[in-house]
Amino acid sequence: MKNDHDDIEETLDPQDWDELRALGHRMLDDTLDYLSSVREKPAWQPVPESVKRRLEQPLPTEPQDAAAVYQEFLENVLPYTNGNRHPRFWGWVQGNGTPLGMLADMLASGMNPHMAGFNQAPALVEHQVLAWLTEMVGMPPETSGVLIGGGTMANITGLAVARHAKAGFDVRELGLQANDHPVLTLYGSTETHGWAQKGAELLGLGNRALRRIRVDNEFRIDIDALRKAVDVDRRAGRRPFCVIGNAGTVNTGATDDLAGLAHLCHEEKLWFHVDGAFGALAKIAPSLAPIVAGIEQADSLAFDLHKWMYLPFEVACVLARDANAHREAFTLKPSYLGESSRGVLAAGLPFAERGIELTRSFRALKVWMSLKAHGVNAFGRLIEQNCRQARYLADLIEASPDLELLAPVPLNIVCFRFAPKDVSPDALDRINEEILVQIQESGLAVPSSTRINGDFALRVANTNHRSRQEDFDLLVREVSEIGKTVVSQLLSARK
Ligand SMILES: Cc1ncc(COP(=O)(O)O)c(C=O)c1O
């Protein structure tokens, strides 16, 4: 049966471009208004029950007015994020995003190029960005790289290259199923981020193959213990293949002795992978670069640009010193992606050959525009500013009789707790857990938490280009005030 729609060829372009243009201009103005006044807004607010209900709707089958849909977004979505745009957001490790980065994302989305490679300017932009990032972290110009969604995927991609290069057999062809190969083992400190476990599991190595090496008092890997662990595995017939070094651990911002690890890996013929999710970019801050010295010797290095380059999610980078090893870990030549010396495919698909993804977005544009418009030195200065602010916060904590610093502050992370002398140590975890949620619920600030040597810690990770010194004064005042109220509530509850 023929129906009315059969005669009409549809498109998702608007019927009235002027109408969409006006709506688009409104969206842009509203977003810039929001960002320019974000300091006056709560750092976080829970999604009200009424809004949750409004966000549960049946699958829309028929069109709604785009302006009305936008209005719903303004009311029900925009105000209720996890808060990372705010000047007092210091939870986990999350950048704020930047207004220019947002505009670049809009342009990238408008262009919508397919970034497997191809003979196109956007691919040249990504090549340029990778060359700049390589220079920023001090790796040699021949280094190969690719932009990826996040630190987890960038690290796992580096680990996949390591596994292929160092397995000692054709791991792509044989996999890890055959029983006649030695068990592959890899090493990282107990402070290594959870991506390493996900990676070991996903790559078929198994969580057990990831050896967690103890750390010293400053949360840096104990290289003697590492050397012994490698030796024990070798003697037992296993095949150590990779060491993960940390440039800025997630808990405390500690950096391993990267030069020492590079030396050990060279001696032991192990792949040296560095997780520099945020810490790698300390390399562009002159006063901090010595902390990450040795990072440039990595065989592979992963770092985020959505953390300490503050760019909107998602953008990270993995670099591999040996471009062939990088390619060989992923390259495929199916006939439908056949090579050509002319036409759209002339430049090949280099980015598809450096990771798992085939279809990729033009993430490089926001990095390219931001490095050009702000200059790399601005990022170096902001990273130094974040570390100065962290040191300032640590000094306030040390000067306060009610607060206790729980870990050294080598970079931008501060772990501390409310611990007045007259409160029993047994009660401190519970008190600080309550302080944390009260601070978040008040909308004042968003720190997160971790455990340091078993103790619950309030944790401030400063990758925030909007924070000011006064924000840390306010945090310290509020933690002390809320802490006192929580203690008196606990005491009166016991009576
Ligand atoms: C040290 C470290 N490595 C890896 C990651 C994972 O990065 P992503 O969240 O971008 O996947 C993080 C995230 O905070 C991190 O701090």
Side-chain angles (χ1 to χ4, degrees):
M1 196 177 73
K2 199 166 153 59
N3 73 39
D4 289 350
H5 292 286
D6 290 346
D7 296 331
I8 309 166
E9 288 184 313
E10 289 202 56
T11 169
L12 296 175
D13 281 339
Q15 281 180 346
D16 182 344
W17 282 93
D18 285 340
E19 196 182 325
L20 188 70
R21 187 188 310 272
L23 180 61
H25 287 175
R26 244 186 74 207
M27 287 174 171
L28 190 56
D29 283 343
D30 290 350
T31 307
L32 293 178
D33 283 349
Y34 198 98
L35 288 177
S36 60
S37 59
V38 70
R39 179 170 277 280
E40 281 83 62
K41 299 186 164 58
W44 178 77
Q45 55 188 334
V47 187
E49 286 307 316
S50 56
V51 171
K52 284 185 189 164
R53 277 196 301 278
R54 266 180 259 143
L55 288 173
E56 271 180 33
Q57 292 170 4
L59 173 68
T61 51
E62 295 307 318
Q64 298 166 35
D65 178 33
V69 177
Y70 176 56
Q71 192 56 38
E72 268 193 57
F73 161 83
L74 287 178
E75 285 165 23
N76 300 333
V77 183
L78 179 67
Y80 307 109
T81 73
N82 67 317
N84 61 313
R85 287 166 299 188
H86 195 274
R88 285 188 296 277
F89 183 96
W90 305 297
W92 307 278
V93 191
Q94 302 181 8
N96 307 103
T98 63
L100 185 71
M102 174 200 89
L103 295 174
D105 266 350
M106 184 188 74
L107 299 179
S109 194
M111 285 181 83
N112 198 32
H114 189 294
M115 291 299 288
F118 296 107
N119 189 3
Q120 57 172 341
L124 300 179
V125 170
E126 181 152 347
H127 283 301
Q128 171 70 92
V129 161
L130 291 166
W132 286 341
L133 295 174
T134 300
E135 186 181 332
M136 282 159 61
V137 296
M139 286 182 74
E142 320 75 70
T143 299
S144 164
V146 69
L147 298 181
I148 296 184
T152 298
M153 276 313 297
N155 275 299
I156 292 177
T157 304
L159 191 55
V161 181
R163 186 189 65 152
H164 185 67
K166 291 287 186 185
F169 59 94
D170 186 349
V171 70
R172 284 185 63 186
E173 180 62 21
L174 300 174
L176 296 177
Q177 313 257 35
N179 289 329
D180 51 349
H181 297 300
V183 167
L184 301 175
T185 53
L186 70 159
Y187 306 79
S189 82
T190 49
E191 294 294 296
T192 305
H193 187 274
W195 72 263
Q197 178 170 345
K198 279 192 182 170
E201 291 168 1
L202 195 66
L203 293 172
L205 299 159
N207 180 36
R208 204 186 292 171
L210 173 59
R211 311 293 198 216
R212 275 89 167 172
I213 308 299
R214 68 167 178 256
V215 290
D216 63 16
N217 289 339
E218 295 181 15
F219 301 99
R220 297 178 308 188
I221 193 165
D222 178 334
I223 295 191
D224 285 338
L226 168 63
R227 199 180 285 280
K228 282 191 195 115
V230 169
D231 190 49
V232 167
D233 277 330
R234 283 229 167 94
R235 283 170 196 275
R238 293 182 278 264
R239 186 179 172 93
F241 79 101
C242 176
V243 171
I244 300 164
N246 283 301
T249 57
V250 62
N251 273 334
T252 67
T255 295
D256 294 331
D257 172 2
L258 299 177
L261 289 180
H263 181 72
L264 179 143
C265 288
H266 184 71
E267 274 183 351
E268 300 282 344
K269 299 196 171 30
L270 300 171
W271 186 275
F272 180 33
H273 174 81
V274 176
D275 173 11
F278 60 97
L281 288 174
K283 192 80 176 172
I284 61 171
S287 67
L288 303 169
I291 295 175
V292 294
I295 201 168
E296 66 290 342
Q297 296 178 54
D299 291 305
S300 53
L301 166 63
F303 54 106
D304 282 297
L305 307 169
H306 61 209
K307 291 190 166 68
W308 237 356
M309 227 181 103
Y310 314 99
L311 295 183
F313 303 138
E314 308 159 342
V315 60
C317 176
V318 62
L319 298 175
R321 171 179 302 272
D322 180 341
N324 280 334
H326 193 180
R327 242 183 104 260
E328 280 163 14
F330 298 106
T331 187
L332 281 183
K333 295 278 176 234
S335 58
Y336 51 84
L337 300 176
E339 286 180 17
S340 166
S341 59
R342 290 169 49 211
V344 180
L345 203 51
L349 301 175
F351 304 121
E353 292 184 308
R354 296 179 194 176
I356 286 296
E357 290 177 332
L358 177 60
T359 302
R360 305 170 58 250
S361 68
F362 191 14
R363 329 187 141 94
L365 186 63
K366 59 188 159 196
V367 191
W368 187 77
M369 289 186 84
S370 303
L371 281 171
K372 284 172 81 70
H374 300 297
V376 68
N377 292 344
F379 294 102
R381 285 194 302 275
L382 280 165
I383 288 169
E384 280 175 345
Q385 176 172 298
N386 286 156
C387 292
R388 229 178 13 255
Q389 289 165 335
R391 194 56 253 166
Y392 176 75
L393 172 60
D395 289 346
L396 292 178
I397 291 163
E398 287 186 310
S400 161
D402 289 343
L403 301 178
E404 181 187 7
L405 193 63
L406 289 175
V409 181
L411 286 175
N412 58 334
I413 299 184
V414 183
C415 293
F416 70 108
R417 63 179 175 175
F418 180 73
K421 304 269 172 304
D422 53 350
V423 172
S424 145
D426 296 344
L428 289 179
D429 280 6
R430 201 145 58 92
I431 290 169
N432 282 279
E433 283 167 23
E434 182 58 28
I435 293 172
L436 178 67
V437 289
Q438 286 201 19
I439 291 223
Q440 293 178 350
E441 285 170 353
S442 74
L444 181 101
V446 181
S448 61
S449 66
T450 189
R451 286 197 174 263
I452 301 291
N453 297 324
D455 293 327
F456 184 89
L458 305 170
R459 176 177 163 285
V460 165
N462 186 9
T463 48
N464 193 321
H465 66 89
R466 300 196 168 110
S467 298
R468 299 181 193 144
Q469 191 165 303
E470 71 209 44
D471 293 316
F472 300 95
D473 292 321
L474 188 60
L475 176 73
V476 163
R477 267 202 312 275
E478 284 299 312
V479 168
S480 300
E481 285 306 308
I482 294 177
K484 282 177 196 145
T485 314
V486 170
V487 169
S488 60
Q489 280 164 354
L490 274 180
L491 289 178
S492 54
R494 267 195 217 139
K495 277 179 196 156

